[in-house]
Amino acid sequence: MKLIITIHARQQMFDRGIDEEQIKIALQRGAKFRQTDGFKSIYPYIGVCYKVQGNEYIIKTVTIE
């Protein structure tokens, strides 16, 4: 799984104390919801908004749910 993390998402990760491993777990195990431009995965309290292009996951933003 290759992650491409936008500048905005990287800042959100820093602000919320979330690392790349937690994002990978949220993507693999989380409940997935369709959004206008991609998906949102939530697991257990971390929300990850992303798009898929081939085998790359473009992380748009990260939230605390």
Side-chain angles (χ1 to χ4, degrees):
M1 170 183 300
K2 182 176 179 184
L3 300 181
I4 298 175
I5 302 174
T6 64
I7 294 168
H8 172 75
R10 185 73 64 184
Q11 183 63 47
Q12 297 300 313
M13 290 168 61
F14 178 78
D15 291 347
R16 292 169 170 87
I18 297 170
D19 62 23
E20 287 188 30
E21 189 61 32
Q22 290 172 302
I23 289 177
K24 288 181 182 180
I25 291 170
L27 292 173
Q28 293 169 347
R29 301 181 188 170
K32 290 159 184 66
F33 302 94
R34 188 91 161 103
Q35 292 189 316
T36 304
D37 188 30
F39 301 92
K40 183 172 188 176
S41 182
I42 300 174
Y43 181 84
Y45 61 89
I46 297 171
V48 180
C49 297
Y50 64 98
K51 291 193 307 187
V52 178
Q53 290 183 346
N55 65 342
E56 298 177 337
Y57 289 78
I58 300 170
I59 310 303
K60 299 185 296 183
T61 193
V62 179
T63 61
I64 297 293
E65 300 294 322

